């Protein structure tokens, strides 16, 4: 039977290796070739008398000499969505590599297996990663093998009635900005941090920026911080006009106090220790250094609500502390949110004014500032979450201890140090062959992430600071080995066992 084609119809195959790598083809960079110079999935045009599956199978053989076994439908997309024109349809199938047949480049410039991580660095067709991720999801679809990085709906399922009631009360009150719920949240958050005051703000980045604004940081000043944090730690310094100065981290991946001391110059005004992944930095030593040199200490506690060192909470060690309440944090809002903790009355007054345009009252603006308030609605929902926070924290810690037992024989696990109470906002292992391990986990439905792949001093934004690869060897080596595993209060032991099983499987097969 002849089939009439009304549009250019291209059919391709996503051939997946066990570790999630896919067989890709590098297209010739010559005029008239679709996707010239880009990496694509092997495939080609469907003939008028072919089914899409037959076309995909034929084109794949013609381009790679590999004969696919069972082809499963994957997705069909309109070419117009990817810049190919309205009358262009792409249809994809997927299959598993049998590990036996050979393959070779019969059309194009090259054909080889590429990992999902490697593909991010290659010139590629616009649809490639979207289609690839769909294939990986299909390959790992059955039940238990799917382990998400987090599962907020499951985590808050029992809080739904209280959250809805809190929402309704705010809506009915008509007071949506700077109301009683914000005041109550600030009081309770200060108690959690064991500080005299807390100031609710729009997000964690605003928290950092507002503190530096209140301090008066500016051009010519320097602030020492860690190179392995999120970009906001450094950008908040740079955006004030000051210079971020990096110091290497220790084995705990937090600032090394000796490196901090060595980085101090006459221009140094402050230190930003980062409690990375919910592990408290060595604040007793850092505070002694700061006191000796009369430096301002701003704790970046974005990942460390509830963490403690020698019984003293993160956020209570420095002159001020900045917290993020982003949905991926241990204590989270339903959108962006942040908070600042301090025991300084004067700093508290300045910060509350600075978050609200610099207004003394409705009629008088003392200085220019932005709108960085925490919404009343978010404060009300945060109050509900505060009621579950201790339970969530203990669940995270129990799961982390269980990971220690499951994984300590094959990877480096984040054990607590003396006097530390870690809250494991992320559970970060250090592993040999990290990228391959991540591909292996993702190919089997485990969402493992990297926080953070590129240290701050090697980011393009830091080029003017003059740093080079090799300046901070501990942070740089860790960046090549760290991997964040799924860990969330609603995680089941079965899901955790699956992660452990896959990691052991990966290293056993490398032996």
């Amino acid at each position: 039977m002849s089939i009439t084609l009304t549009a250019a119809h291209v059919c391709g195959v996503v051939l997946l290796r066990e570790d999630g790598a896919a067989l890709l083809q590098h297209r010739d960079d010559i005029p008239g070739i679709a996707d010239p110079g880009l990496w694509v999935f092997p495939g080609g045009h469907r003939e008028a008398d072919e089914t899409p599956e037959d076309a995909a199978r034929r084109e794949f053989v013609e381009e790679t000499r590999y004969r696919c076994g069972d082809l499963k439908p994957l997705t069909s997309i309109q070419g117009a969505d990817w810049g190919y024109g309205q009358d262009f349809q792409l249809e994809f199938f997927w299959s598993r590599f049998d590990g036996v047949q050979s393959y070779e480049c019969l059309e194009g410039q090259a054909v080889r297996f590429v990992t999902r991580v490697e593909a991010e660095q290659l010139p590629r067709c616009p649809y490639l990663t979207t289609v690839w991720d769909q294939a990986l999801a299909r390959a790992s679809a059955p039940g238990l093998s799917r382990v998400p990085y987090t599962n907020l709906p499951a985590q808050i399922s029992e809080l739904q009635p209280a959250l809805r009631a809190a929402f309704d009360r705010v809506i009915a009150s008509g007071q949506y900005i700077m109301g009683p719920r914000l005041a109550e949240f600030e009081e309770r958050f200060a108690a959690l941090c064991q500080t005299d005051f807390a100031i609710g703000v729009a997000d964690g980045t605003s928290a950092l920026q507002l503190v530096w604004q209140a301090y008066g940081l500016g051009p010519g000043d320097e602030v020492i911080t860690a190179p392995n944090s999120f970009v906001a730690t450094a950008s908040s310094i740079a955006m004030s006009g000051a210079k971020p100065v990096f110091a290497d981290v220790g084995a705990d991946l937090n600032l090394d106090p000796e490196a901090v001391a060595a980085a101090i110059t006459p221009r140094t005004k402050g230190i930003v220790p980062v409690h990375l992944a919910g592990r408290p930095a060595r604040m007793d030593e850092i505070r002694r250094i700061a006191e000796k040199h009369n430096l301002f200490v701003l704790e970046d506690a974005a990942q460390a609500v509830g963490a403690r060192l020698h019984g003293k909470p993160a956020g209570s060690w420095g002159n001020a502390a900045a917290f993020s309440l982003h949905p991926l944090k241990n204590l989270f809002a339903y959108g962006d949110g942040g908070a600042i903790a301090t025991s300084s009355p004067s700093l508290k007054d300045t910060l509350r004014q600075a978050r609200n345009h610099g207004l003394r009252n409705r009629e008088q603006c003392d200085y220019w500032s932005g709108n960085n308030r925490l919404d009343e609605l978010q404060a009300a929902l945060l109050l509900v979450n505060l009621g579950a926070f201790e339970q969530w924290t203990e669940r995270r810690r129990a799961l982390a201890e269980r990971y220690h037992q499951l994984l300590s024989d094959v990877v480096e696990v984040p054990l607590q140090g003396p006097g530390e109470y870690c809250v494991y906002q992320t559970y970060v292992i250090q592993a040999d062959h990290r990228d391959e391990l991540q591909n292996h986990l993702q190919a089997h439905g485990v969402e493992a992430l990297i926080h953070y792949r590129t240290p701050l001093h090697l980011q393009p934004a830091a080029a003017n600071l003059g740093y080079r690869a090799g300046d901070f060897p501990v942070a740089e080596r860790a960046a090549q080995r760290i991997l964040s595993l799924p860990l969330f209060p609603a995680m089941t032991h079965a899901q955790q066992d699956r992660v452990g099983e896959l990691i052991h499987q990966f290293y056993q097969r490398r032996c």
Side-chain angles (χ1 to χ4, degrees):
M1 179 180 71
S2 178
I3 301 173
T4 301
L5 301 180
T6 59
H9 195 161
V10 172
C11 301
V13 175
V14 183
L15 184 68
L16 291 178
R17 204 167 59 188
E18 186 178 357
D19 64 353
L23 192 66
L24 301 185
Q25 177 192 53
H26 192 213
R27 300 288 284 172
D28 290 308
D29 192 0
I30 56 177
I33 296 293
D35 298 315
L38 302 183
W39 289 88
V40 302
F41 297 115
H45 285 81
R46 171 188 170 195
E47 303 295 340
D49 59 349
E50 289 181 305
T51 66
E53 180 178 341
D54 288 342
R57 193 181 298 277
R58 174 184 55 77
E59 286 284 350
F60 201 84
V61 171
E62 289 178 2
E63 296 188 357
T64 69
R65 205 186 293 278
Y66 181 94
R67 297 185 179 276
C68 296
D70 184 26
L71 281 185
K72 306 174 185 66
L74 180 59
T75 187
S76 179
I77 56 180
Q78 285 299 125
D81 295 337
W82 303 98
Y84 295 98
Q86 190 64 41
D87 295 330
F88 204 98
Q89 182 178 357
L90 300 97
E91 190 157 357
F92 290 94
F93 298 80
W94 74 277
S95 186
R96 295 185 187 274
F97 178 54
D98 61 14
V100 176
Q101 294 185 66
S102 61
Y103 52 88
E104 60 181 294
C105 181
L106 299 179
E107 295 182 17
Q109 295 170 292
V111 62
R112 66 181 177 89
F113 275 102
V114 175
T115 68
R116 181 66 176 78
V117 171
E118 181 187 3
E120 296 289 346
Q121 312 302 320
L122 297 177
R124 58 192 185 276
C125 60
Y127 57 79
L128 187 135
T129 53
T130 299
V131 173
W132 194 340
D133 287 346
Q134 290 176 342
L136 289 172
R138 294 285 183 87
S140 60
L144 182 62
S145 62
R146 173 84 176 111
V147 184
Y149 184 71
T150 190
N151 189 340
L152 294 176
Q155 182 174 339
I156 65 170
S157 60
E158 295 182 4
L159 300 182
Q160 294 277 4
L163 289 166
R164 289 193 171 90
F167 181 95
D168 290 343
R169 282 193 296 271
V170 173
I171 297 302
S173 75
Q175 191 165 5
Y176 307 142
I177 301 291
M178 308 278 283
R181 282 84 180 175
L182 176 59
E184 181 183 354
F185 170 73
E186 290 175 336
E187 182 178 350
R188 290 182 58 184
F189 192 80
L192 179 65
C193 297
Q194 295 181 18
T195 57
D196 292 341
F197 312 106
I199 302 94
V201 295
D203 49 56
T205 303
S206 298
L208 292 164
Q209 291 174 343
L210 285 169
V211 172
W212 288 130
Q213 178 183 334
Y215 172 76
L217 193 70
D221 297 336
E222 296 178 352
V223 176
I224 300 169
T225 192
N228 62 336
S229 183
F230 181 61
V231 295
T233 308
S235 69
S236 60
I237 300 168
M239 291 176 69
S240 74
K243 177 184 177 181
V245 172
F246 298 111
D248 210 351
V249 298
D252 61 354
L253 301 187
N254 285 326
L255 267 179
D256 180 347
E258 292 185 5
V260 171
I264 294 173
T265 74
R267 292 187 172 187
T268 305
K269 300 298 183 183
I271 306 171
V272 183
V274 182
H275 305 298
L276 195 69
R279 182 174 190 173
R282 292 157 64 181
M283 291 305 302
D284 43 359
E285 299 170 67
I286 290 172
R287 192 165 71 170
R288 284 196 294 270
I289 293 170
E291 289 172 351
K292 177 180 178 181
H293 296 274
N294 193 29
L295 302 178
F296 188 94
V297 176
L298 170 55
E299 296 175 65
D300 186 337
Q303 303 178 4
V305 180
R308 298 193 294 270
L309 179 65
H310 307 309
K312 188 175 174 63
S316 66
W317 288 86
N319 300 90
F323 293 86
S324 171
L325 303 173
H326 181 278
L328 288 181
K329 299 301 190 288
N330 293 26
L331 177 65
F332 58 89
Y334 294 79
D336 276 318
I340 302 166
T342 185
S343 289
S344 167
S346 60
L347 186 57
K348 174 262 297 182
D349 291 340
T350 303
L351 288 167
R352 288 187 174 168
Q353 188 172 356
R355 73 175 172 186
N356 191 32
H357 301 284
L359 291 169
R360 180 178 295 273
N361 52 52
R362 290 184 60 84
E363 307 300 330
Q364 180 178 332
C365 179
D366 290 342
Y367 51 86
W368 306 128
S369 192
N371 174 6
N372 292 289
R373 303 176 301 233
L374 178 66
D375 287 340
E376 182 78 353
L377 182 58
Q378 293 293 0
L381 299 178
L382 279 160
L383 285 168
V384 176
N385 283 5
L386 267 174
F389 177 68
E390 184 177 351
Q391 177 185 348
W392 288 345
T393 300
E394 289 307 316
R395 177 62 176 167
R396 281 183 176 275
R397 285 172 51 80
L399 289 168
E401 179 60 33
R402 199 166 183 274
Y403 262 146
H404 297 345
Q405 297 171 8
L406 287 171
L407 300 174
S408 61
D409 60 332
V410 287
V411 297
E412 184 178 342
V413 298
L415 299 174
Q416 294 186 129
E420 295 178 352
Y421 180 92
C422 303
V423 294
Y424 296 101
Q425 188 265 334
T426 48
Y427 187 87
V428 183
I429 63 171
Q430 295 190 55
D432 295 333
H433 313 290
R434 187 270 312 278
D435 288 346
E436 294 93 331
L437 174 61
Q438 183 188 27
N439 284 327
H440 175 75
L441 291 171
Q442 290 181 342
H444 289 83
V446 174
E447 191 177 7
L449 306 176
I450 298 172
H451 301 94
Y452 304 94
R453 182 181 295 276
T454 303
L456 293 176
H457 67 289
L458 300 179
Q459 291 285 354
N464 67 319
L465 299 178
Y467 292 110
R468 297 177 298 177
D471 284 346
F472 306 108
V474 179
E476 291 174 34
R477 182 173 186 272
Q480 298 172 0
R481 292 170 48 80
I482 52 174
L483 186 65
S484 301
L485 301 182
L487 189 147
F488 50 94
M491 189 179 199
T492 66
H493 284 181
Q495 288 175 314
Q496 200 172 31
D497 289 342
R498 176 62 173 162
V499 177
E501 172 191 337
L502 288 168
I503 291 175
H504 278 271
Q505 179 187 94
F506 173 79
Y507 287 108
Q508 287 168 359
R509 292 182 179 179
R510 292 195 64 86
C511 294

